[in-house]
Amino acid sequence: MYGFEALTFNIHGGYLEAIVRGHRSGLLTAADYNNLCQCETLDDIKMHLSATDYGPYLQNEPSPLHTTTIVEKCTLKLVDEYKHMLCQATEPLSTFLEYITYGHMIDNVVLIVTGTLHERDVNELLEKCHPLGMFDSIASLAVAQNMRELYRLVLVDTPLAPYFSECVTSEDLDDMNIEIMRNTLYKAYLEDFYKFCKKLGGATAEIMSDLLAFEADRRAVNITINSIGTELTRDDRRKLYSNFGLLYPYGHEELAVCEDIDQVRAAMEKYPPYQSIFAKISYGESQMLDKAFYEEEVKRLCLAFEQQFHYAVFFAYVRLREQEIRNLMWISECVAQNQKSRVHDSVVFIF
Amino acid sequence: MAESGCCPPMDLFRSEPMQLVRLIIPVESSHLTVSYLGDLGFIQFKDLNAEKSPFQRTYATQIKRCGEMARKLRFFREQMKKVDVLPSTVPLERIDIDLDNLEVKLGELEAEMIEVNANNEKLQRSYNELLEYELILQKAGEFFYSAQSDAMAQQRETQELHADEGSIHSPLLLEQEMSTDSSKVVKLGFISGLVPRDKSLAFERILFRATRGNVLLKQGVVGNPVTDPVSGEKVDKNVFVIFYSGERAKTKILKICEAFGANRYPFPDDLGKRGQMITEVSGSISELKATIDVGMLHRDSLLKNISYHYEQWNLLVKKEKSIYHTLNMLSIDVTKKCLVAEGWSPIFASKQVQDALHRAALDSNSQVESIFQVLHTRESPPTYFQTNKFTTAFQEIVDAYGVARYQEANPGVYTIVTFPFLFAVMFGDWGHGICLLLGTLFFLLREKKLSSQKLGDITEMTFGGRYVILLMSLFSIYTGLVYNEFFSVPFELFGRSAYACRDPSCSDSTTAGLIKVRDAYPFGVDPKWHGTRSELPFLNSLKMKMSILLGVAQMNLGIILSYFNAKFFKNSVNVWFQFVPQMLFLNCLFGYLSVLIIVKWCTGSKADLYHLMIYMFLSPTDDLGENQLFAGQKTVQIVFLLLALVAVPWMLLPKPFILKKQFQDRHHGQSYQLLQSTDDSLEVDAHGSHDGHEEFEFSEVFVHQLIHTIEFVLGAVSNTASYLRLWALSLAHSELSTVFYEKVLLLAWGFNNVIILIVGIIVFIFATVGVLLVMETLSAFLHALRLHWVEFQNKFYEGDGYKFHPFSFALMDEEEE
């Protein structure tokens, strides 16, 4: 198939590709961010955003604004766009689009389960869920006491069911278990998504496998760093790494035995693409790592738009918008809490 | 088109003269000044704070306030839409309410509105809850009743069994069993409520899984959609009753109910209590209903009150917002005492602008008046044509291609006549013309009504071009008369045909043998041509030649306009090295052809013009033979050919060298005088000679000129050929209408059958309207458009100006709608 997508791609995917590229051109630019960073109040932010694509979503909000409202409305815009695209999509694009949301679904499941464990109100938790990862019976997750119940009661109906096969145990849920469950699920999800993209073939497979490999590697590094100093055994840690990506398999061996951040660094610097990321941060520091990874990811996502006739643009667009919303949230929080000096700490410019 | 009186004459031929003005306005009168200038609508303000972001500007807070008020007004509008109260369009007497008061008032109204809404919502919610409760009581009552009667029947059966069989066969322990059962049985609990129907299946499934099947779920369908108390929407719902045992099951079920948005209601066990509840509930329902109605009434009156002022407030807020936007574009003085505005304004309006400034200063009791200054600039001013409702559409046809460079000749003036005329040449049929005329008259007569309301996309477009269509239809009636076609049928309108049969016996005019019996038919094509064997060759020759004549005329007009441009901008290089050779080249070849066509028409000669033109190039010295039209033609041809040949290098070579020389002269000390002169003429020389700092790239200029020359020389041939589309489309139009008339209408007529005739007429009407009136109009329109944009305008039109967008409240309203 490769090389011939141009002949047939536009029959089904042309309209949506045009749509998504149109949406992409609505992403905020560095100039916008510069202006936003100079805002004094949240109203200033609203005023600036009303001149962008977010305008219609924010214009009817009464004036004492909250960060949550801004984020909520911006997310709503993304969700509206996503839903519109999903409605218009045909196979296999619709499946592809659905795959994009599974990550949020996993996060939502984990959020609800953790929340109920700590006896939070379900409705409150539901509000915090990402709207892209919602499914019908999500609220009944609160009923479940252990993994097996969780699976049997609710998740068997969701697309996440197959990913659960590895972590169905009768153990009671606790924080550690849940975190392991999240990562196991994520691993299964990424592998499945990867397989699916490979099956699609062509430019989609090429670009998506690159993007997903990066995602998998980033997760591997994060898992390693987060599990340093916990009771997670090396073997268990090793099991959480996805079975693809640049680090697979030798990098994983090295990461599995890391005891501190500098060892992670040593392991990662053997891989040229990640060298530059670690070059940016000083020794022993892991705070800025997230931002460095985000920046690298944004760069890769932007590159996805350079090629035509493939599905990775949809993935890239959703991810970029999410990054943009994260940026807006950070900026608004900084402005709201009068911490403007820190505004540049975590904003990742997209263009 | 030029309205006499207020405006200088010839105002459409070139853009109004513009000037860059600077206004220095004291802060205290700035708001009023800008407001007056907005009423006047003659200044396009320049943004002097372009580098500042919107919220760093001086009046950002005011704009935010306006935005907030606009939001409140939108909120009211939504509320009004919900209850179908329309904002009154009756203009109230102007109540002067200023922005601050309005803001307070809107705030109060919004607070009141929100409170009323919240109250109503609360009431509505409990009302809906009660309604649901009532439903439960009825439906679940049915479950219990049916279950009870079932149980009774069963019991009776067992009892009957006892009675029949007597005490021998009946198991002795049965009674004991039953009695122990009732004592042992854990009391079953039950929960009743309503669940949305689309979720009911999943609900049941989850319940089953969560309790491992240890529940009994009974569901009953509610016939009508129920208003959900939480969301306030109408949803199809099911009534359910769940029977369970044990506390753990209960908590699970409660959680699941919550998760599925199932509303639970307590349900009394015994029958008497149930009846009592039902009456209680229905009583409170009617009470609540009354309260809600009162609340609604209150809200409606509130909204009605708002609706009286809505339009006025909306306008005020919009105006204020635009005023502050404008004020934001002004730069503020260091002392913060005055604002400095810069903007373009037509020269003729200076008086009015100054007047407005004066009035504003007076009305705001300012101690200092605003200062009005004219600035000299090298920047190119915006182009401004004062159009009226008739000329606007034509000007827009030109602007769609490109807005005229400041003060260059405006092709819009000529377009008013040439555009509909070229259209009509392609659309010549006076029957169709009349249809078009009737259509556009409909728009014209209802102009007042239609212009105030919102129209659909296509209607809007047609309505906007109503005067274009009017002229198009009038011209097509004219050309239709010339072609003598009325739905392709010829009429003898202007006297009798010049031709008749040789002898009275011939009945069919298509047979040969007509002789001329009278003088030529006085106007247009003789009707006798229609249907003859030589009809097509005759019409083709006529229309083809006519197209060439029209084309050469229009292209000449274009080149002449380039002369006027050069003259106006005092650019003698363009006159001598562009205009003159272009005129020579075009007219020596195609002008000559046009003359030949006319001579041939007048003399009735049989010369072959194709042959003549081709051999004029191939062998100019050959004898013309029978193609000779006038004496000395050969010499004339040779001279023309030589002139045309000379014109090409004339166009190509001198201009770049002269420009180079001018540039060098300027850089050798004589630049003073030249710079001044260019200042006056607001330089239009495209080759960058106006800017002394600019590099003069000779090769670039030369290549540019080369391209221009090639384009013109090739264009002279291809553009002339392009005008043949006039003939082609006209032919297509008349042939199509002939086909519809003869093959549909006459064919149907021939059957002598009423039904076939009716069908035929219907098909004919649809074909005429759909194909000839809509499609053909569109295609002829597009071709006329192309002839203007490409063939006509490329001779002279630069079209790289920008339009004058004054700050005006009147325009603002239009844009909003």
Side-chain angles (χ1 to χ4, degrees):
Chain A
M1 262 300 273
Y2 186 57
F4 293 94
E5 299 108 334
L7 280 179
T8 53
F9 182 87
N10 279 348
I11 299 170
H12 292 298
Y15 169 67
L16 281 175
E17 189 179 355
I19 292 271
V20 83
R21 281 176 190 275
H23 286 325
R24 188 204 83 125
S25 59
L27 288 169
L28 300 180
T29 59
D32 287 317
Y33 283 118
N34 277 334
N35 279 333
L36 284 171
C37 291
Q38 289 166 16
C39 288
E40 296 290 338
T41 63
L42 288 183
D43 276 337
D44 285 345
I45 291 182
K46 174 186 163 190
M47 190 163 149
H48 188 88
L49 287 182
S50 62
T52 65
D53 280 8
Y54 291 115
Y57 287 85
L58 283 170
Q59 67 171 359
N60 281 341
E61 287 311 306
S63 206
L65 223 57
H66 299 289
T67 318
T68 41
T69 334
I70 293 181
V71 174
E72 195 181 303
K73 292 293 163 186
C74 296
T75 316
L76 184 66
K77 176 177 150 51
L78 171 64
V79 173
D80 282 352
E81 286 165 0
Y82 172 81
K83 279 188 181 150
H84 175 248
M85 290 195 285
L86 189 64
C87 281
Q88 303 285 335
T90 50
E91 280 298 330
L93 178 55
S94 51
T95 313
F96 183 88
L97 286 175
E98 276 163 7
Y99 262 108
I100 297 177
T101 63
Y102 292 169
H104 292 295
M105 243 180 234
I106 295 172
D107 286 341
N108 284 351
V109 168
V110 171
L111 180 79
I112 298 263
V113 173
T114 332
T116 16
L117 208 64
H118 296 280
E119 307 200 329
R120 296 276 190 75
D121 182 38
V122 179
N123 285 325
E124 202 179 294
L125 291 170
L126 282 179
E127 274 169 26
K128 282 187 190 157
C129 284
H130 197 288
L132 276 186
M134 285 300 222
F135 48 93
D136 258 353
S137 47
I138 190 162
S140 32
L141 284 173
V143 183
Q145 297 295 326
N146 57 35
M147 300 267 198
R148 190 179 296 281
E149 247 184 7
L150 201 64
Y151 174 70
R152 223 170 41 80
L153 269 183
V154 188
L155 293 176
V156 71
D157 286 337
T158 66
L160 298 183
Y163 308 149
F164 246 87
S165 53
E166 277 186 48
C167 59
V168 175
T169 54
S170 312
E171 280 176 67
D172 272 359
L173 291 167
D174 58 39
D175 281 342
M176 181 80 173
N177 270 338
I178 292 173
E179 212 41 50
I180 290 176
M181 174 183 90
R182 181 213 295 271
N183 285 310
T184 327
L185 284 180
Y186 229 99
K187 170 191 170 174
Y189 157 61
L190 282 179
E191 281 171 4
D192 189 31
F193 197 4
Y194 184 76
K195 229 182 287 162
F196 175 73
C197 291
K198 281 280 180 210
K199 206 175 75 197
L200 287 178
T204 310
E206 187 191 2
I207 298 169
M208 277 312 288
S209 56
D210 185 43
L211 292 175
L212 288 175
F214 179 76
E215 176 83 19
D217 291 347
R218 183 176 65 178
R219 291 198 74 85
V221 172
N222 278 340
I223 289 168
T224 315
I225 293 176
N226 290 336
S227 64
I228 289 171
T230 60
E231 61 217 47
L232 199 70
T233 61
R234 288 177 180 178
D235 279 347
D236 283 345
R237 194 196 283 177
R238 174 80 189 75
K239 260 189 231 156
L240 296 178
Y241 300 150
S242 307
N243 287 332
F244 66 98
L246 215 55
L247 300 177
Y248 176 77
Y250 304 111
H252 287 167
E253 301 295 339
E254 281 188 60
L255 281 181
V257 297
C258 284
E259 299 281 328
D260 59 46
I261 175 88
D262 285 336
Q263 286 180 9
V264 177
R265 191 189 175 105
M268 292 298 286
E269 277 183 342
K270 290 175 189 159
Y271 293 87
Y274 302 117
Q275 223 168 19
S276 59
I277 294 176
F278 280 86
K280 279 185 208 157
I281 53 175
S282 49
Y283 278 90
E285 190 185 19
S286 59
Q287 296 295 317
M288 295 298 284
L289 192 61
D290 268 345
K291 193 189 174 190
F293 268 120
Y294 277 138
E295 272 170 0
E296 177 69 17
E297 188 191 8
V298 162
K299 213 163 75 193
R300 284 165 187 246
L301 291 172
C302 285
L303 284 179
F305 283 93
E306 300 294 313
Q307 231 173 319
Q308 225 188 329
F309 307 129
H310 62 91
Y311 292 154
V313 282
F314 298 96
F315 178 78
Y317 171 69
V318 173
R319 283 301 169 93
L320 286 175
R321 263 285 181 225
E322 280 166 7
Q323 180 61 44
E324 184 174 293
I325 291 166
R326 273 198 294 274
N327 288 343
L328 283 176
M329 181 156 74
W330 178 261
I331 294 174
S332 323
E333 281 296 348
C334 286
V335 169
Q337 299 176 10
N338 256 331
Q339 297 274 325
K340 280 186 65 183
S341 52
R342 296 190 54 202
V343 101
H344 283 282
D345 283 4
S346 145
V347 173
V348 180
F349 291 140
I350 294 179
F351 298 115
Chain B
M1 319 120 240
E3 311 108 298
S4 54
C6 72
C7 311
M10 311 253 291
D11 54 354
L12 262 188
F13 282 90
R14 292 187 192 284
S15 159
E16 296 291 338
M18 307 295 276
Q19 60 190 0
L20 184 65
V21 296
R22 172 183 289 157
L23 310 174
I24 302 174
I25 311 166
V27 170
E28 64 267 24
S29 67
S30 60
H31 184 267
L32 204 61
T33 309
V34 172
S35 153
Y36 281 174
L37 290 176
D39 284 332
L40 194 63
F42 273 131
I43 292 195
Q44 175 179 359
F45 287 97
K46 275 166 89 175
D47 192 353
L48 300 177
N49 301 324
E51 76 286 355
K52 281 191 188 168
S53 55
F55 47 85
Q56 286 171 331
R57 298 184 177 206
T58 328
Y59 292 95
T61 36
Q62 277 87 339
I63 287 184
K64 253 183 260 170
R65 274 170 55 198
C66 289
E68 186 63 21
M69 288 201 281
R71 184 192 64 72
K72 280 173 191 158
L73 284 170
R74 275 198 301 274
F75 171 70
F76 292 142
R77 189 179 186 90
E78 239 161 64
Q79 294 294 324
M80 284 193 271
K81 216 186 245 167
K82 248 187 217 165
V83 291
D84 282 336
V85 179
L86 289 176
S88 69
T89 44
V90 190
L92 292 167
E93 67 275 27
R94 254 185 108 77
I95 313 160
D96 276 323
I97 182 165
D98 67 348
L99 204 62
D100 300 322
N101 288 340
L102 183 62
E103 191 175 15
V104 174
K105 187 155 189 184
L106 285 181
E108 280 168 7
L109 280 174
E110 194 198 26
E112 193 178 345
M113 197 73 221
I114 287 177
E115 200 190 316
V116 168
N117 273 350
N119 281 342
N120 273 352
E121 207 172 293
K122 223 184 284 168
L123 288 174
Q124 198 76 42
R125 188 172 173 155
S126 36
Y127 176 69
N128 287 334
E129 263 169 7
L130 280 175
L131 278 184
E132 285 200 342
Y133 194 16
E134 196 180 19
L135 265 173
I136 296 257
L137 286 175
Q138 287 165 357
K139 284 273 170 186
E142 280 168 28
F143 292 152
F144 278 96
Y145 182 73
S146 61
Q148 218 161 28
S149 54
D150 273 0
M152 295 266 262
Q154 218 166 8
Q155 213 170 13
R156 220 176 296 133
E157 238 169 64
T158 44
Q159 274 172 3
E160 271 168 21
L161 221 70
H162 280 274
D164 283 353
E165 302 295 319
S167 55
I168 308 159
H169 294 283
S170 62
L172 290 169
L173 288 176
L174 186 69
E175 216 154 306
Q176 207 179 346
E177 247 174 38
M178 284 179 85
S179 60
T180 47
D181 256 5
S182 56
S183 63
K184 246 196 222 164
V185 146
V186 195
K187 181 141 175 47
L188 285 177
F190 65 88
I191 293 172
S192 56
L194 281 155
V195 67
R197 192 170 303 160
D198 48 347
K199 283 188 189 169
S200 66
L201 214 67
F203 181 59
E204 190 169 351
R205 200 159 52 217
I206 296 273
L207 272 177
F208 185 83
R209 286 192 203 136
T211 57
R212 295 160 199 259
N214 289 326
V215 286
L216 177 69
L217 176 73
K218 280 224 140 206
Q219 295 203 50
V221 177
V222 179
N224 304 321
V226 183
T227 320
D228 190 64
V230 181
S231 64
E233 280 164 24
K234 292 245 174 207
V235 203
D236 280 319
K237 285 198 172 184
N238 278 0
V239 170
F240 67 86
V241 182
I242 311 167
F243 297 92
Y244 61 88
S245 66
E247 271 308 302
R248 265 188 75 176
K250 184 177 177 183
T251 47
K252 269 186 190 172
I253 290 168
L254 288 183
K255 270 186 181 169
I256 291 171
C257 284
E258 210 173 303
F260 277 87
N263 305 317
R264 287 171 290 110
Y265 297 94
F267 188 80
D269 275 343
D270 81 274
L271 213 64
K273 232 180 176 181
R274 203 177 299 151
Q276 196 189 334
M277 290 283 274
I278 288 179
T279 48
E280 244 173 61
V281 166
S282 54
S284 37
I285 282 179
S286 58
E287 253 170 54
L288 261 177
K289 182 86 190 142
T291 329
I292 287 173
D293 283 346
V294 172
M296 291 286 196
L297 220 61
H298 177 59
R299 188 184 67 179
D300 285 359
S301 68
L302 189 68
L303 281 175
K304 272 232 173 69
N305 219 347
I306 293 170
S307 77
Y308 289 133
H309 302 285
Y310 178 79
E311 284 298 331
Q312 198 191 355
W313 289 345
N314 205 11
L315 198 67
L316 182 72
V317 168
K318 263 189 218 157
K319 265 190 186 178
E320 289 292 328
K321 198 172 178 187
S322 67
I323 288 174
Y324 285 119
H325 264 301
T326 312
L327 283 174
N328 265 341
M329 296 206 278
L330 315 187
S331 76
I332 195 153
D333 197 62
V334 223
T335 57
K336 305 225 167 189
K337 290 262 169 57
C338 52
L339 292 164
V340 181
E342 278 181 26
W344 297 104
S345 149
I347 287 177
F348 72 83
S350 330
K351 182 90 190 48
Q352 285 155 285
V353 171
Q354 274 166 321
D355 198 42
L357 294 180
H358 184 67
R359 266 190 300 135
L362 275 186
D363 290 353
S364 60
N365 294 323
S366 165
Q367 291 178 339
V368 207
E369 261 197 46
S370 308
I371 301 168
F372 179 88
Q373 261 181 329
V374 178
L375 299 179
H376 290 284
T377 177
R378 290 227 196 134
E379 236 177 295
S380 169
T383 307
Y384 177 40
F385 297 112
Q386 277 191 312
T387 51
N388 52 27
K389 64 179 176 183
F390 179 77
T391 51
T392 308
F394 294 99
Q395 188 62 46
E396 238 141 60
I397 289 178
V398 174
D399 285 350
Y401 174 81
V403 176
R405 175 178 284 191
Y406 178 61
Q407 295 230 308
E408 80 169 321
N410 177 16
V413 184
Y414 312 97
T415 305
I416 294 173
V417 176
T418 53
F419 184 84
F421 181 66
L422 289 190
F423 170 86
V425 170
M426 293 180 265
F427 197 74
D429 188 314
W430 58 281
H432 297 149
I434 285 173
C435 293
L436 217 55
L437 182 65
L438 292 178
T440 184
L441 278 181
F442 168 79
F443 280 119
L444 285 177
L445 294 177
R446 313 187 64 187
E447 187 175 62
K448 276 237 169 62
K449 203 176 150 210
L450 288 174
S451 56
S452 62
Q453 70 193 49
K454 211 167 161 54
L455 305 164
D457 253 358
I458 290 176
T459 334
E460 179 99 56
M461 214 158 61
T462 329
F463 181 70
R466 60 198 183 277
Y467 286 104
V468 182
I469 301 177
L470 174 73
L471 282 198
M472 288 186 336
S473 63
L474 290 180
F475 277 106
S476 8
I477 292 172
Y478 167 74
T479 49
L481 289 173
V482 171
Y483 297 158
N484 206 346
E485 288 192 15
F486 176 85
F487 295 105
S488 85
V489 186
F491 279 84
E492 293 192 334
L493 283 179
F494 303 98
R496 300 189 50 206
S497 168
Y499 301 96
C501 287
R502 205 179 298 270
D503 52 277
S505 64
C506 78
S507 56
D508 193 359
S509 60
T510 49
T511 50
L514 290 177
I515 51 162
K516 194 167 176 182
V517 291
R518 271 174 225 96
D519 282 343
Y521 191 67
F523 183 84
V525 176
D526 195 304
K528 269 281 173 346
W529 282 107
H530 185 77
T532 55
R533 255 182 302 164
S534 50
E535 183 197 10
L536 265 187
F538 169 72
L539 283 180
N540 283 350
S541 148
L542 173 76
K543 288 177 178 173
M544 213 187 303
K545 284 169 182 162
M546 195 178 65
S547 310
I548 289 177
L549 289 183
L550 292 174
V552 170
Q554 200 183 20
M555 286 192 290
N556 267 315
L557 174 64
I559 301 177
I560 289 169
L561 284 179
S562 83
Y563 166 74
F564 282 110
N565 269 343
K567 180 109 178 152
F568 185 83
F569 295 119
K570 300 195 179 61
N571 191 339
S572 56
V573 178
N574 275 0
V575 176
W576 290 110
F577 304 106
Q578 202 148 306
F579 165 69
V580 173
Q582 284 186 352
M583 272 313 254
L584 276 178
F585 185 82
L586 184 71
N587 286 318
C588 286
L589 302 180
F590 296 101
Y592 173 59
L593 174 64
S594 310
V595 171
L596 287 184
I597 288 170
I598 293 170
V599 169
K600 190 179 164 186
W601 275 345
C602 294
T603 58
S605 143
K606 282 181 181 158
D608 183 358
L609 293 186
Y610 295 118
H611 191 270
L612 206 86
M613 284 308 284
I614 289 169
Y615 280 90
M616 177 174 161
F617 290 98
L618 292 184
S619 49
T621 51
D622 274 10
D623 199 33
L624 290 169
E626 59 173 4
N627 286 334
Q628 177 142 1
L629 279 161
F630 53 87
Q633 194 180 359
K634 202 167 99 181
T635 333
V636 171
Q637 280 191 6
I638 293 174
V639 171
F640 277 174
L641 191 63
L642 286 177
L643 277 177
L645 284 180
V646 169
V648 177
W650 188 353
M651 261 182 270
L652 172 65
L653 296 173
K655 197 179 160 188
F657 288 103
I658 290 172
L659 287 177
K660 188 182 179 190
K661 186 156 185 316
Q662 277 181 354
F663 178 79
Q664 279 169 348
D665 283 353
R666 216 170 309 138
H667 277 247
H668 285 108
Q670 297 168 351
S671 52
Y672 232 58
Q673 201 189 348
L674 269 165
L675 269 178
Q676 244 179 13
S677 74
T678 46
D679 227 26
D680 289 342
S681 67
L682 284 151
E683 64 285 338
V684 164
D685 202 330
H687 307 298
S689 61
H690 62 288
D691 208 349
H693 308 292
E694 221 171 274
E695 287 289 307
F696 186 84
E697 194 74 53
F698 180 74
S699 60
E700 207 173 285
V701 174
F702 191 81
V703 168
H704 190 77
Q705 189 64 23
L706 186 71
I707 292 171
H708 264 289
T709 310
I710 293 174
E711 194 186 313
F712 182 82
V713 172
L714 294 183
V717 183
S718 67
N719 290 354
T720 311
S722 184
Y723 275 97
L724 289 178
R725 73 185 67 232
L726 292 175
W727 155 59
L729 264 97
S730 155
L731 174 72
H733 185 84
S734 73
E735 287 302 306
L736 266 178
S737 54
T738 312
V739 166
F740 289 139
Y741 176 71
E742 281 176 3
K743 298 294 171 206
V744 177
L745 203 59
L746 289 189
L747 198 73
W749 188 266
F751 277 100
N752 269 333
N753 182 331
V754 182
I755 298 167
I756 293 181
L757 187 62
I758 290 173
V759 170
I761 288 175
I762 290 173
V763 171
F764 175 71
I765 288 174
F766 274 97
T768 304
V769 171
V771 177
L772 293 173
L773 287 178
V774 176
M775 304 261 283
E776 277 281 292
T777 308
L778 265 181
S779 83
F781 186 94
L782 287 179
H783 283 282
L785 205 60
R786 184 218 142 95
L787 287 177
H788 278 84
W789 281 354
V790 181
E791 274 74 24
F792 175 50
Q793 291 183 7
N794 78 357
K795 300 287 183 292
F796 67 100
Y797 192 56
E798 299 282 351
D800 56 355
Y802 61 103
K803 228 178 177 171
F804 177 57
H805 278 294
F807 167 63
S808 154
F809 294 141
L811 286 178
M812 187 182 73
D813 286 353
E814 272 170 36
E815 273 162 33
E816 286 295 319
E817 270 140 35

